Amino acid sequence: MIPRAPPPKIITVRSSDIPPEAERPACIRIKPRSNVARAAKVETRPCFASSWVEEVGLDERDVITRYQVSGVGVTIASPHSSSCGMYIVDPPEYKLGPLQLQALAEAIAAVTDRMPGDLHVNSLATVRPYIKAKGKDFLYSKLAAKTGTGALGKDLDREADRLADVLCKYTAGYGILETLLEDKLIQDIYIDSPSGQTPVQVVLRSDAVQGVRQKCRTNVFIGRRDLQGFVSRVKFETGLPFSEAHPVLEADMKWLGARVTLVSPPLSDKGISLAVRKHSRGIWTMPMLIGNGSISPLLASFLWACVIGRRTVLVAGSRGAGKTTLLGAMMLEFPKSQRIVLIEDTPEISVDRMQSLGFDIQSLRFDGSGERGSASAQETLRVSLRMGESAIVIGEVRGQEAQVLYESMRAGSAGSSVLGTIHGNSAKGVLDRAVEDLGVTERAFSSTDIVVVIGLVRSPDGTRFSRRVVEVAEVRQDTQGVQLTGLFGTEPGCTCAKPTKEFSAQCKTVSGIADALGMSPEAIIDVIKTRAHADQLASELGVRRNGPWSGGADEWRVRSNEVLTRAMFNPSGPEAGLREWRSWVDANEGQ
């Protein structure tokens, strides 16, 4: 049996209260009494759902865009009187007539009560076709009995199919939240307790819509029954406990492409609260980050050199700063000949996509809960070191595995590049956290070559934010201990980190790259600066073509890198290699 909230009750309305057909309300309307500030607002909901949608009057001058998500109308607006944007949904099922509402309510109760006990499902997605087929048959018979040869009876099959989709949405789906989960412009979803009295909040992606505030208030209030249904679905899909004894549930919902965090009483004293962080559906490339203003072409080229030059790089930042996004872009810089071992507890890097692009990548998972029988991060890392010469990529360095990681780096066990993310707002903050919180000695931390800090840069009014690399520091060891030397940093008026005077052929990282590649440091600097021109051109091509070309931005980047990496080491020099690569670009444009 699939998990579900209690079946909805059919709300009856006295016939004397029903206006003529043309004026008949599509669903029940009330004015909330629990919140004085919203006393004048009208909210609606159908009888089969417990979530309310507020009717919002918008000034057309405030409307930024309108579009649809799976048939649901969406309006995004930036009211001049608020620092918060508005995200308005207009679900068609909230405008159904009494006949369809009653048929749907009866179908929901009938289908969920008659689920066969021998129906084995691994996820709710697999049961949707069954529910739709059974629901459509039930709805067709109900509508046929009630309408006869009326106007609706002329196209009963199409109407039954449309209502069956709604039935699936509110039984094996996520109800009104499906629109927010499916909308590619939304990055975060927040439901604060009590959910029925506080509107759902969303955060739009920074590149979603120009001219709109990224933090938006929606017109949706999630009812208790619908929220409990969502919780039941998460518990069913993950098999994880969630109760007063276990008031926090964190899980990666792969089928939703999101990370879900649930908090219940007693931790959340007013009821269940929910946070959803949606993963990027694709892998960002360096040219995309350049075009987005997150990174400069020279820094992108330097990070490429660190990847192929077997350096150790930690990407630091706060939650939501874009650490994993930059890590994924750096992974695309590996040549296809490099074996990669990826270690994560929460799968955020698209391994399937990288394998389809031709990378030799092995994914290892560990369980950070410490439950019996689960592999720990440090055990997983030790296993990875025995899997042959591989670049090691760690989704997040945050526990005792840090000691194992640095032990392996000092002993040379890693053998190739080591990339990872870590929480921290500055290079100094990363050093302090590694030493004081994770138990890594300063001498061991000196095995790190560079720390890249990516931060959220907010507009003065706080309505928009962008992700920028704000610092790149080299880790050096001297008689006085670990020293952090800035190679790239931000200046007033610049959009992303620029090179400092310390970025030269004499710096430790460039010398290490030169040793690894059998070249002089001066030659490496020449290669990095020349390749930066190629990255700038690739970014401009991507902006003009909305991501070059027909194969997709990530596929194009991988193909380009295979040519560009070889060309940069042309015996005639990197300038000759740049011309060779440009000829390849001209010959392969549009393919």
Side-chain angles (χ1 to χ4, degrees):
M1 297 290 288
I2 63 171
R4 64 181 187 277
K9 296 179 180 180
I10 300 174
I11 301 176
T12 58
V13 182
R14 290 177 299 176
S15 58
S16 59
D17 295 334
I18 301 178
E21 183 69 29
E23 303 173 9
R24 185 172 298 174
C27 43
I28 293 74
R29 290 174 167 82
I30 68 165
K31 290 182 180 180
R33 300 175 182 175
S34 58
N35 192 325
V36 176
R38 295 191 351 254
K41 299 292 185 180
V42 175
E43 298 173 340
T44 66
R45 73 170 176 86
C47 55
F48 53 80
S50 69
S51 299
W52 298 89
V53 169
E54 185 178 79
E55 295 184 357
V56 179
L58 292 173
D59 188 332
E60 284 299 316
R61 293 172 296 181
D62 295 334
V63 175
I64 302 299
T65 184
R66 286 189 171 95
Y67 56 96
Q68 288 200 342
V69 178
S70 299
V72 177
V74 173
T75 301
I76 297 178
S78 285
H80 290 82
S81 59
S82 173
S83 63
C84 196
M86 289 296 299
Y87 183 96
I88 310 300
V89 299
D90 185 21
E93 63 267 22
Y94 275 53
K95 295 182 178 180
L96 294 173
L99 174 62
Q100 289 93 337
L101 285 173
Q102 183 163 352
L104 262 175
E106 293 176 359
I108 289 174
V111 170
T112 54
D113 284 341
R114 298 174 188 174
M115 288 288 292
D118 59 348
L119 181 63
H120 300 290
V121 294
N122 295 323
S123 71
L124 293 175
T126 60
V127 81
R128 286 186 81 143
Y130 174 88
I131 290 180
K132 181 171 181 179
K134 292 298 182 181
K136 184 177 178 180
D137 291 342
F138 184 92
L139 287 163
Y140 187 94
S141 61
K142 284 290 181 182
L143 293 174
K146 293 178 182 294
T147 60
T149 57
L152 187 61
K154 296 179 180 179
D155 201 0
L156 281 180
D157 187 75
R158 186 168 62 181
E159 181 67 9
D161 188 76
R162 182 172 74 96
L163 294 180
D165 284 332
V166 176
L167 185 150
C168 288
K169 181 177 178 180
Y170 287 87
T171 52
Y174 297 94
I176 197 169
L177 286 175
E178 276 199 5
T179 300
L180 309 185
L181 292 167
E182 292 178 1
D183 193 340
K184 296 180 180 179
L185 299 187
I186 291 179
Q187 174 182 287
D188 295 282
I189 304 170
Y190 300 112
I191 301 177
D192 298 324
S193 59
S195 61
Q197 300 177 29
T198 56
V200 178
Q201 307 282 335
V202 298
V203 177
L204 304 180
R205 298 188 183 278
S206 58
D207 60 335
V209 183
Q210 294 299 318
V212 68
R213 301 169 179 89
Q214 287 178 258
K215 180 67 179 295
C216 293
R217 173 193 182 277
T218 75
N219 63 329
V220 178
F221 297 81
I222 302 298
R224 181 177 179 181
R225 191 181 72 225
D226 287 352
L227 183 58
Q228 188 58 53
F230 183 90
V231 171
S232 298
R233 287 159 175 77
V234 173
K235 291 172 63 177
F236 173 77
E237 295 275 9
T238 64
L240 296 175
F242 185 62
S243 62
E244 287 191 5
H246 299 86
V248 178
L249 190 159
E250 292 183 278
D252 187 78
M253 312 282 282
K254 187 176 181 180
W255 53 97
L256 294 179
R259 176 78 173 178
V260 176
T261 301
L262 293 168
V263 183
S264 74
L267 205 55
S268 174
D269 60 347
K270 294 183 179 179
I272 295 174
S273 62
L274 166 69
V276 178
R277 179 66 190 275
K278 295 167 65 176
H279 305 320
S280 177
R281 294 185 179 273
I283 303 177
W284 280 66
T285 66
M286 286 297 186
M288 292 169 66
L289 293 175
I290 293 170
N292 196 43
S294 297
I295 193 171
S296 69
L298 183 62
L299 179 50
S301 182
F302 174 59
L303 293 179
W304 160 80
C306 290
V307 166
I308 69 167
R310 301 194 288 277
R311 297 303 91 194
T312 300
V313 182
L314 288 181
V315 179
S318 60
R319 182 188 180 277
K323 300 185 297 296
T324 303
T325 299
L326 180 57
L327 183 68
M330 291 179 65
M331 290 176 66
L332 289 182
E333 302 300 285
F334 280 115
K336 288 185 180 180
S337 58
Q338 174 65 64
R339 177 171 171 77
I340 305 170
V341 175
L342 173 64
I343 302 172
E344 293 181 296
D345 62 340
T346 302
E348 295 186 78
I349 301 292
S350 180
V351 175
D352 292 342
R353 179 56 179 166
M354 291 199 66
Q355 289 176 336
S356 71
L357 292 172
F359 285 97
D360 178 10
I361 181 169
Q362 172 63 53
S363 175
L364 299 179
R365 296 278 183 263
F366 67 89
D367 188 348
S369 66
E371 294 184 0
R372 184 177 179 182
S374 61
S376 66
Q378 52 267 44
E379 290 171 340
T380 307
L381 180 56
R382 286 194 175 96
V383 169
S384 72
L385 296 172
R386 296 194 294 268
M387 296 186 70
E389 194 279 329
S390 304
I392 297 176
V393 180
I394 303 178
E396 184 176 343
V397 180
R398 60 184 175 189
Q400 294 181 355
E401 74 277 5
Q403 298 178 28
V404 179
L405 173 65
Y406 281 98
E407 177 186 331
S408 67
M409 289 192 297
R410 292 185 65 196
S413 303
S416 189
S417 299
V418 177
L419 311 179
T421 68
I422 188 170
H423 280 282
N425 294 320
S426 66
K428 181 63 167 60
V430 170
L431 172 60
D432 291 343
R433 181 163 186 258
V435 172
E436 297 177 11
D437 298 339
L438 304 182
V440 178
T441 65
E442 284 196 1
R443 187 173 182 81
F445 186 81
S446 65
S447 300
T448 305
D449 289 298
I450 62 171
V451 178
V452 181
V453 182
I454 185 166
L456 290 173
V457 180
R458 298 185 182 276
S459 61
D461 61 359
T463 59
R464 292 189 64 83
F465 57 85
S466 56
R467 295 169 175 83
R468 301 283 187 270
V469 173
V470 296
E471 180 185 9
V472 177
E474 183 175 78
V475 182
R476 300 177 182 177
Q477 175 80 29
D478 60 22
T479 56
Q480 297 180 351
V482 170
Q483 304 296 324
L484 297 170
T485 304
L487 301 184
F488 288 78
T490 55
E491 298 175 357
C494 66
T495 56
C496 55
K498 303 295 183 183
T500 69
K501 63 180 181 180
E502 296 291 340
F503 178 68
S504 66
Q506 285 70 48
C507 70
K508 165 196 163 186
T509 305
V510 172
S511 297
I513 295 170
D515 290 342
L517 299 180
M519 301 174 64
S520 69
E522 291 76 15
I524 291 297
I525 287 291
D526 192 21
V527 167
I528 290 172
K529 291 181 177 179
T530 304
R531 184 188 165 93
H533 295 295
D535 285 340
Q536 178 64 44
L537 176 60
S539 175
E540 293 171 356
L541 289 171
V543 171
R544 289 202 298 268
R545 295 172 174 81
N546 193 25
W549 283 298
S550 59
D554 54 359
E555 182 177 345
W556 186 89
R557 179 61 172 179
V558 173
R559 291 171 55 205
S560 169
N561 270 347
E562 291 291 295
V563 176
L564 185 57
T565 298
R566 174 181 51 79
M568 282 295 98
F569 302 104
N570 189 308
S572 300
E575 288 291 344
L578 181 61
R579 292 191 294 271
E580 177 187 342
W581 173 80
R582 184 57 198 264
S583 297
W584 176 86
V585 170
D586 293 339
N588 287 272
E589 184 172 356
Q591 295 184 8

